[in-house]
């Protein structure tokens, strides 16, 4: 009996080993895609920041008008796909409305804060979104964070703090007209970003992505249009509409459309915390653009900060992989125990 059963056991073990190796490859691929996609989103975010800065230098202060075009593009493109498919709507409309409301106001508050406080303060206080995301995903999505993940988060934040010290060291910190008001606006906007990211992660994993983008674009465009009509009519009338004024609006709309289109992929595979941490490198990408595009000199701490944040992201991703390995090993152990119990007793 034992000589007959041994090949079966060996074959079963070999199949399980092959399956485990295949799962390892999938996990590595998932981690690499998450890191790469996170940096693409970070670059898109940096591009939007430079576009907003360009509009501000031209005396155009209409942040909600910029996002209105982005939401409209989402509604038109993904709404067209949804009408073609004619699927059954999975989510509740008011969930999408609340998500769009939070997202629109989060964008508005952070952009508005630039009028009152320094860019250094905004960079520091925007990190408030990280602990907010950790708490929200732990409370509502039941995400577990172990010591290595928390260490990755802290290392990422240390990288951003280095950027702040570099700004102070280089004398680039500049005050605003009302720093306290600006700081509170950033804190409120970062909190709304955390709510938006966590809610979107939940909807991405429980509803259809095309449906999410369609309704987020539709409700976002409606909310933005109302806000523009109330607060930004005067700004829009004062703009001298030329190619130099129109092109930044169009560029912002396209980059935001790409940002929102790629975001659900990262949220589905790696979660909102990974996304929030990835955006920390947007400040570093901005520095690289300043160096190579505008030929500006920056402090050496920027390079160290970029490397530190990158290490933090890798550590955070590695821990996600380790947790999945533990679950796989537990499953393998249970299967081995079941096979052992199924073998006949050969002692007789």
């Amino acid at each position: 009996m034992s000589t007959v059963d041994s090949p079966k056991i060996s074959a079963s073990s070999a199949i399980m080993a092959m399956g485990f190796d295949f799962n390892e490859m999938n996990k590595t691929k998932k981690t690499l895609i998450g890191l790469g996609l996170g940096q693409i989103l970070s670059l898109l975010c940096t591009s939007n920041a430079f576009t907003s800065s360009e509009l501000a230098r031209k005396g155009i202060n209409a942040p909600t008008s910029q996002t209105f075009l982005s939401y409209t593009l989402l509604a038109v493109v993904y709404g067209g796909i949804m009408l073609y498919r004619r699927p059954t709507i999975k989510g509740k409309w008011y969930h999408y409305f609340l998500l769009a409301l939070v997202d629109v106001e989060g964008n508005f508050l952070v952009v508005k804060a630039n009028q009152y406080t320094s860019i250094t303060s905004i960079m520091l206080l925007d990190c408030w979104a990280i602990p907010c995301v950790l708490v929200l995903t732990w409370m509502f999505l039941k995400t577990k964070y172990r010591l290595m993940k928390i260490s990755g988060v802290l290392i990422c934040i240390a990288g951003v703090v280095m950027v702040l010290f570099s700004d102070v060291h280089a004398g680039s910190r500049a005050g605003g007209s009302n720093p306290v008001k600006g700081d509170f606006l950033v804190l409120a906007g970062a909190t709304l970003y955390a709510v938006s990211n966590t809610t979107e992660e939940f909807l991405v994993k429980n509803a259809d992505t095309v449906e999410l983008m369609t309704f987020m674009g539709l409700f976002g465009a409606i909310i933005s249009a109302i806000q523009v009509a109330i607060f930004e009519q005067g700004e829009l009338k004062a703009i001298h509409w030329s190619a130099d004024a129109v092109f930044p609006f169009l560029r912002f709309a396209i980059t935001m459309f790409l940002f929102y289109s790629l975001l659900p992929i990262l949220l589905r595979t790696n979660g909102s915390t990974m996304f929030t941490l990835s955006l920390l490198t947007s400040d570093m990408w901005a520095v690289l653009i300043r160096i190579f595009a505008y030929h500006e000199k920056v402090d050496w701490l920027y390079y160290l900060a970029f490397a530190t944040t990158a290490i933090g992201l890798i550590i955070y991703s590695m821990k996600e992989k380790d947790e999945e390995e533990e679950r796989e090993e537990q499953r393998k152990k249970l299967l081995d125990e079941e096979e052992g119990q199924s073998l006949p007793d050969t002692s007789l």
Side-chain angles (χ1 to χ4, degrees):
M1 291 292 292
S2 60
T3 57
V4 176
D5 290 334
S6 295
K8 293 181 179 179
I9 297 173
S10 300
S12 176
S13 300
I15 292 171
M16 289 179 63
M18 291 174 61
F20 188 73
D21 291 338
F22 182 73
N23 288 334
E24 283 294 305
M25 293 175 61
N26 281 340
K27 293 169 195 170
T28 303
K29 182 179 178 181
K30 170 185 167 183
T31 300
L32 292 175
I33 290 174
L35 288 170
L37 191 57
Q39 292 315 297
I40 292 174
L41 291 169
S42 182
L43 279 169
L44 290 172
C45 185
T46 304
S47 174
N48 290 336
F50 272 89
T51 303
S52 297
S53 177
E54 180 183 344
L55 289 170
R57 287 197 301 270
K58 295 177 179 178
I60 300 174
N61 180 28
T64 310
S65 300
Q66 294 172 221
T67 57
F68 168 75
L69 294 175
S70 306
Y71 290 122
T72 302
L73 195 56
L74 283 173
V76 170
V77 174
Y78 287 99
I81 297 173
M82 191 172 176
L83 288 174
Y84 176 78
R85 292 181 178 179
R86 298 183 181 277
T88 302
I89 297 177
K90 297 179 181 179
K92 304 292 186 182
W93 70 267
Y94 49 86
H95 289 163
Y96 295 123
F97 174 80
L98 292 175
L99 172 62
L101 178 63
V102 169
D103 196 71
V104 170
E105 300 311 323
N107 287 326
F108 174 79
L109 289 173
V110 172
V111 174
K112 192 73 174 176
N114 285 276
Q115 300 177 22
Y116 302 105
T117 190
S118 66
I119 186 64
T120 308
S121 294
I122 292 174
M123 288 164 58
L124 174 63
L125 296 173
D126 203 31
C127 296
W128 172 249
I130 297 173
C132 290
V133 167
L134 291 175
V135 172
L136 290 171
T137 52
W138 174 70
M139 289 179 61
F140 298 105
L141 302 184
K142 308 303 179 185
T143 304
K144 295 181 180 179
Y145 296 101
R146 299 187 181 181
L147 180 61
M148 188 64 75
K149 277 193 174 184
I150 296 174
S151 300
V153 171
L154 294 176
I155 292 172
C156 285
I157 295 175
V160 176
V161 172
M162 288 182 189
V163 174
L164 300 174
F165 277 116
S166 177
D167 283 342
V168 174
H169 181 258
S172 61
R173 184 182 178 98
S177 60
N178 192 339
V180 175
K181 181 178 180 179
D183 291 349
F184 275 108
L185 287 175
V186 177
L187 288 173
T191 304
L192 292 180
Y193 279 155
V195 175
S196 174
N197 296 341
T198 306
T199 305
E200 193 166 346
E201 179 184 349
F202 172 79
L203 292 173
V204 160
K205 294 179 178 179
N206 294 276
D208 181 68
T209 301
V210 174
E211 177 183 306
L212 170 62
M213 292 293 99
T214 299
F215 284 107
M216 186 172 178
L218 176 63
F219 290 126
I222 293 172
I223 295 168
S224 297
I226 295 172
Q227 196 157 305
V228 167
I230 297 173
F231 298 109
E232 297 182 5
Q233 282 193 62
E235 291 287 344
L236 294 177
K237 291 178 180 178
I239 297 174
H240 175 66
W241 292 103
S242 61
D244 290 339
V246 172
F247 182 70
F249 275 93
L250 295 178
R251 186 170 68 238
F252 186 91
I254 293 172
T255 52
M256 280 294 285
F257 172 80
L258 293 174
F259 180 89
Y260 281 115
S261 297
L262 294 174
L263 177 57
I265 302 174
L266 182 62
L267 292 178
R268 184 183 296 108
T269 56
N270 297 85
S272 55
T273 304
M274 180 66 174
F275 162 66
T276 306
L277 291 173
S278 296
L279 290 188
L280 290 180
T281 59
S282 61
D283 298 317
M284 288 63 164
W285 290 122
V287 170
L288 294 179
I289 293 174
R290 285 165 54 189
I291 294 172
F292 294 104
Y294 297 96
H295 306 289
E296 295 182 10
K297 292 183 179 180
V298 298
D299 197 74
W300 62 271
L301 274 174
Y302 272 112
Y303 302 102
L304 182 60
F306 190 92
T308 302
T309 305
I311 291 171
L313 285 171
I314 293 171
I315 291 174
Y316 181 88
S317 301
M318 287 174 61
K319 188 55 185 175
E320 287 188 329
K321 177 181 174 183
D322 291 343
E323 287 176 355
E324 292 176 1
E325 284 179 355
E326 290 177 5
R327 289 194 292 269
E328 185 65 30
E329 288 174 357
Q330 289 177 357
R331 188 181 70 84
K332 183 179 178 183
K333 184 177 179 181
L334 288 173
L335 288 174
D336 287 340
E337 291 176 354
E338 290 176 359
E339 284 189 357
Q341 293 175 357
S342 63
L343 291 177
D345 188 1
T346 58
S347 61
L348 295 177

